[in-house]
Amino acid sequence: MSSDVLTLDTPLAKVVGDRTAKAMAEDLHLHVVRDLVRHYPSRYARRGEMTALTDLQVGDRVTVLGQVRKVDTRPMRNRRGSITEVTVGDGAGSMRLVFFNHKHARMVVGAWGLFAGTVSSWHGQLQFNHPDCQLLDESTDAAEWASAMLPIYPASKNVSSWVLQKSLKLVFGSPETADQLLDADPVPGDVRRRHGLMPLARAIWLKHHPETPEDVEQADHRLKWDEALVLQVTLAARRRAAALEPGIARPRRAGGLADAVDRVLPFQLTDGQREVGEALAAEIAREQPMHRLLQGEVGSGKTVVALRAMAQVVDAGGQAALLAPTEVLAAQHARGIAGLLGPLGRAGELDGDPEGTRVTLLTGSLRAAARRAALAEVADGSAGIVVGTHALLSEGVAFADLGLVVVDEQHRFGVEQRDRLRAKGTRPPHVLVMTATPIPRTVAMTVYGDLETLTLRQLPAGRGGVSSSVVPVAEKPGWLSRAWERVREEVAQGRQAYVVCPRIGDDEPAAGDQPEDADGAPDGTDPAADPATDRRPPLAVLDVAEELRAGPLAGLRVEVLHGRLTPEEKEARMRAFAAREVDVLVATTVIEVGVDVPNATVMVVMDADRFGVSQLHQLRGRVARGKHPGLCLLVSEASTSSSTGVRLAQVAATTDGFELARLDLETRREGDVLGAAQSGRRSGVKLLSLLHDEELIAEARSEAAALLETDQGLAAHPELAAAVAALNAGDRADWLERA
Ligand code: ADP
Ligand code: MG
């Protein structure tokens, strides 16, 4: 190391030399000292903690701690050189290490060491071939490490855990150097005092040199605060910026479309709909652009809430856009709204009411002439209510005066897309995002941190509700035929059924065949390919429909629906189903979102284990929409005692969306929740868990808001400002945009 003063920005090459630095950069994305000190141990090995060796699996790349039991060196039979077999044990398990031409002078019986490699198996015994090893010097620092926790770092083939450990020693040396190096603490002193947090330098030092599990816990708590506060300040700043840009007030006007909508509604609004409606009406009436997330169970009646808000904006002279994730859903919304408004939605036509407006559908599949006509209505303002898909975001679409954007079923739309629609207003329009996928509070506070949440908890009265059961076909093959009988019984009563499959059919292209009507498993997995396992391919719509027509459902009117059909075909089949011309619709998840056919009462989900928790919940919402009780059968080959089987049983056992959201979060990794681009390195989130740190995140959120309240530019907190800037700098800038 040169005599230069070490700072967090010192390149690692200056500390560890070019070769190691290159490997650290390439393998682990560690470039400067800051990266290294934030490269936390993934776990700690403790001498006397004898579980590690027994937990190993063939193929794991791991570091283990063990004591040498036996060393046996002999010449190799067919080649020059020697082979050394070493047996190490940790009290519970043992494993064989094999070295060629081995020269570890201290590898003697009784010595302790750390061994790293890829676990293989030889004659039934676990083995490392030529592992990296670090023998611990028991004679000199026995006392020190006997009780200590040895940090095990996420390592790579070229950068072992103890190279990292040694490098950290070069950086830190002592707690005092840590203090000097990390004297800038992004968490302000009074926040630290209020929440009992240690200084940053102490936390980082402890994280790398803990003596007890409590040390690690305390360090983690403090370091999570770091992550949460920076994240929340970023989000709070975003909220403030959005709030400062004035929009246009669209106050409610009596005697207009909004009142007319309330008159023609065929039902009484629920209390929840009324309350949420009032909150929205008040916000839309203000100049500050509204920015709301409306959560409500499947079937809770969000559409009508949105429609009332849209009508208010039309009454105030503006336009409202309703953005749906699929063409099927957009068409359904347009049809439903136009149907409800009747003449009020056909202003300008012969039978139209001149007091009304026009409901215009704009999707990617419109023919040229229809598209031109729709674009003209959008541009000249005669279309007060514009319903569409992503096509609404495209360049050629201009609004006369966009006052409100409603995004239905948020989970398919990102911040970026919301922003693109917002940019179509002359001034920022009001924004309402609606989702039926319940969002756990922590996710709402982070991923959706720029939106304030409203919740519609109540379902309209008179709903039959839905009950769910698992059909474990491997254990109870007879139950599947019983399921088809149930479908026949419902159809005999004049009702209809869905059968959902994860895949379309044999020859579909591997990656999602239709960006708009994303079929398959939108939780991010490609259902056709399952490289991790050799499971059979998931069941396909076309095959299943064929089998049902020929066998269990022979004689019923069975139709298929999936994303490979043209939009016209899809639309026609949905219409036919809604008109009861089809008994059973075999479909992919195209029907997941928002499709509304109250007469459908049974859903059979094939290969249910291939769907995510919230997806299953969404799906079964399709059969809970009328006055008849719904039934959802989750068919799976998974054993009922497997984790998958247990998860399905949990889904079947509860319809509480918020509980399911939690379950969903548990079954996914944090990175998936935050979105790939937002995980780890980019979001700065390494330790914080959306599942377990709810309280901490909430506290950090209110501290962040308070800080910005009194110190908008963070002038009094340069360290925090720098950390926020770092999060938003360079290639990290876009992570927030990709929710
Ligand atoms: P979601 O919240 O899932 O989008 P929808 O808005 O599609 O739910 O509403 C589901 C069904 O409930 C629709 O058929 C709608 O007409 C009906 N509905 C909405 N509000 C009420 C209400 N207050 N009373 C009775 N039915 C209602
Ligand atoms: Mg809906």
Side-chain angles (χ1 to χ4, degrees):
M1 217 189 315
S2 75
S3 58
D4 296 349
V5 183
L6 199 64
T7 73
L8 290 175
D9 293 309
T10 305
L12 285 174
K14 287 205 168 165
V15 184
V16 298
D18 289 338
R19 242 186 58 199
T20 307
K22 188 159 174 274
M24 284 183 174
E26 280 173 7
D27 297 358
L28 301 169
H29 303 289
L30 307 177
H31 306 280
V32 294
V33 167
R34 174 183 291 101
D35 303 331
L36 182 64
V37 302
R38 295 274 188 172
H39 187 69
Y40 305 134
S42 53
R43 64 191 180 90
Y44 302 87
R46 302 188 79 186
R47 202 181 134 189
E49 197 176 74
M50 302 302 186
T51 53
L53 281 184
T54 46
D55 281 351
L56 297 183
Q57 305 262 358
V58 170
D60 285 353
R61 192 183 157 80
V62 289
T63 304
V64 300
L65 173 67
Q67 187 177 33
V68 177
R69 297 277 171 69
K70 207 169 103 188
V71 181
D72 179 16
T73 301
R74 55 184 151 73
M76 273 195 279
R77 243 177 260 157
N78 306 325
R79 279 190 280 157
R80 283 154 52 94
S82 65
I83 184 165
T84 302
E85 287 181 22
V86 177
T87 306
V88 297
D90 65 359
S94 70
M95 81 183 293
R96 242 166 63 101
L97 317 178
V98 179
F99 298 91
F100 302 99
N101 298 326
H102 144 93
K103 310 183 205 51
H104 292 276
R106 282 167 42 227
M107 186 84 77
V108 293
V109 172
W112 283 85
L114 285 163
F115 308 96
T118 304
V119 181
S120 58
S121 162
W122 190 80
H123 284 277
Q125 198 185 8
L126 297 179
Q127 156 169 325
F128 272 153
N129 276 319
H130 228 293
D132 283 333
C133 46
Q134 182 198 32
L135 289 161
L136 301 169
D137 196 346
E138 191 154 15
S139 56
T140 51
D141 47 17
E144 186 192 322
W145 76 268
S147 64
M149 303 173 67
L150 299 170
I152 308 285
Y153 291 93
S156 73
K157 200 160 178 306
N158 299 315
V159 188
S160 68
S161 176
W162 45 91
V163 164
L164 287 159
Q165 200 184 338
K166 278 188 202 149
S167 308
L168 276 155
K169 216 172 233 162
L170 289 176
V171 167
F172 279 146
S174 69
E176 292 71 41
T177 348
D179 283 347
Q180 281 162 25
L181 197 57
L182 294 158
D183 67 337
D185 191 332
V187 178
D190 56 336
V191 175
R192 290 208 308 267
R193 269 188 300 282
R194 262 198 297 282
H195 300 278
L197 307 172
M198 61 179 75
L200 179 66
R202 170 87 185 131
I204 289 203
W205 171 264
L206 260 194
K207 184 76 181 154
H208 293 292
H209 309 85
E211 281 170 12
T212 64
E214 291 71 46
D215 286 349
V216 179
E217 212 171 285
Q218 282 184 27
D220 278 350
H221 186 65
R222 156 61 231 230
L223 295 171
K224 283 175 180 181
W225 254 94
D226 213 31
E227 297 176 357
L229 189 65
V230 172
L231 198 57
Q232 292 301 338
V233 167
T234 305
L235 291 166
R238 215 187 129 89
R239 276 198 304 276
R240 290 178 71 90
L244 287 176
E245 223 183 321
I248 299 174
R250 315 275 182 177
R252 184 150 181 156
R253 177 165 66 79
L257 189 64
D259 283 352
V261 166
D262 284 349
R263 262 199 321 276
V264 297
L265 279 183
F267 44 70
Q268 288 272 311
L269 292 173
T270 63
D271 291 345
Q273 283 170 320
R274 211 174 286 284
E275 279 159 28
V276 168
E278 269 161 33
L280 296 180
E283 287 200 25
I284 292 171
R286 293 199 311 206
E287 191 177 73
Q288 175 180 332
M290 173 177 81
H291 225 175
R292 284 284 190 177
L293 177 67
L294 173 59
Q295 287 178 229
E297 278 293 326
V298 174
S300 58
K302 293 183 292 296
T303 316
V304 68
V305 171
L307 178 60
R308 295 175 76 230
M310 294 195 282
Q312 172 175 338
V313 168
V314 172
D315 284 338
Q319 291 168 290
L322 173 57
L323 198 51
T326 66
E327 296 216 342
V328 170
L329 192 55
Q332 179 185 290
H333 276 318
R335 199 163 57 232
I337 293 172
L340 186 69
L341 294 183
L344 281 166
R346 290 195 294 272
E349 285 175 44
L350 271 183
D351 68 341
D353 184 334
E355 287 296 295
T357 185
R358 296 189 63 76
V359 180
T360 301
L361 177 66
L362 187 59
T363 60
S365 65
L366 288 188
R367 302 248 173 274
R371 181 179 166 81
R372 261 197 310 279
L375 284 175
E377 289 179 0
V378 175
D380 70 17
S382 52
I385 294 179
V386 184
V387 184
T389 53
H390 288 70
L392 279 184
L393 301 173
S394 63
E395 292 287 323
V397 182
F399 286 81
D401 179 15
L402 183 59
L404 169 66
V405 174
V406 179
V407 181
D408 193 17
E409 309 297 352
Q410 158 71 7
H411 59 300
R412 306 266 178 98
F413 275 109
V415 174
E416 192 186 355
Q417 284 155 319
R418 293 206 300 269
D419 285 352
R420 258 168 65 197
L421 246 190
R422 273 217 307 259
K424 291 197 177 286
T426 36
R427 295 229 224 128
H430 300 285
V431 176
L432 174 63
V433 176
M434 306 196 294
T435 175
T437 308
I439 295 173
R441 198 160 147 254
T442 46
V443 180
M445 287 186 302
T446 47
V447 181
Y448 303 104
D450 63 336
L451 298 173
E452 301 283 343
T453 308
L454 275 173
T455 303
L456 205 53
R457 285 186 189 277
Q458 187 184 18
L459 290 182
R463 286 287 163 74
V466 58
S467 56
S468 312
S469 307
V470 179
V471 178
V473 275
E475 287 151 44
K476 312 266 185 196
W479 288 17
L480 187 57
S481 32
R482 181 70 195 115
W484 301 129
E485 267 170 49
R486 287 289 290 126
V487 170
R488 298 192 78 101
E489 286 165 21
E490 289 292 314
V491 172
Q493 310 242 338
R495 313 234 210 289
Q496 292 160 282
Y498 297 102
V499 177
V500 181
C501 305
R503 205 159 60 92
I504 301 177
D506 282 337
D507 47 2
E508 73 201 82
D513 63 342
Q514 260 268 354
E516 244 174 40
D517 290 345
D519 273 316
D523 283 351
T525 52
D526 172 5
D530 206 343
T533 68
D534 45 13
R535 292 202 289 175
R536 65 157 171 76
L539 292 172
V541 166
L542 299 177
D543 305 339
V544 169
E546 195 71 12
E547 282 167 31
L548 291 177
R549 283 189 190 114
L553 301 184
L556 303 192
R557 295 168 300 176
V558 176
E559 189 54 274
V560 301
L561 185 73
H562 54 75
R564 263 215 316 268
L565 299 170
T566 65
E568 291 81 15
E569 284 171 316
K570 270 184 281 188
E571 174 67 17
R573 289 182 191 192
M574 268 321 293
R575 257 183 216 273
F577 189 64
R580 304 194 191 184
E581 289 155 17
V582 169
D583 300 316
V584 180
L585 195 62
V586 186
T588 54
T589 52
V590 256
I591 59 145
E592 173 191 355
V593 189
V595 169
D596 187 20
V597 178
N599 192 50
T601 50
V602 202
M603 172 175 287
V604 183
V605 184
M606 308 301 289
D607 279 343
D609 48 285
R610 310 266 181 156
F611 298 93
V613 170
S614 47
Q615 223 179 351
L616 289 172
H617 184 54
Q618 284 279 307
L619 279 168
R620 72 178 162 194
R622 304 303 119 223
V623 290
R625 305 182 78 79
K627 56 184 187 297
H628 305 291
L631 174 66
C632 177
L633 299 171
L634 306 173
V635 180
S636 168
E637 285 175 4
S639 107
T640 46
S641 56
S642 66
S643 60
T644 309
V646 169
R647 176 170 60 96
L648 286 178
Q650 285 172 309
V651 173
T654 179
T655 51
D656 179 340
F658 289 87
E659 193 176 316
L660 287 164
R662 230 186 138 66
L663 189 62
D664 192 35
L665 204 50
E666 270 168 33
T667 55
R668 296 200 268 166
R669 283 174 297 122
E670 295 290 322
D672 294 341
V673 176
L674 275 174
Q678 301 182 12
S679 62
R681 214 155 42 95
R682 292 187 132 192
S683 63
V685 171
K686 289 180 171 175
L687 298 172
L688 196 65
S689 157
L690 293 182
L691 189 57
H692 301 291
D693 298 319
E694 180 169 337
E695 199 180 323
L696 193 159
I697 293 171
E699 285 170 0
R701 183 177 163 93
S702 66
E703 289 288 359
L707 276 167
L708 289 180
E709 199 60 50
T710 53
D711 181 12
Q712 222 190 94
L714 293 177
H717 304 286
E719 288 95 358
L720 181 56
V724 170
L727 179 64
N728 291 292
D731 72 331
R732 299 175 178 202
D734 55 349
W735 73 268
L736 263 178
E737 307 296 328
R738 299 258 170 85

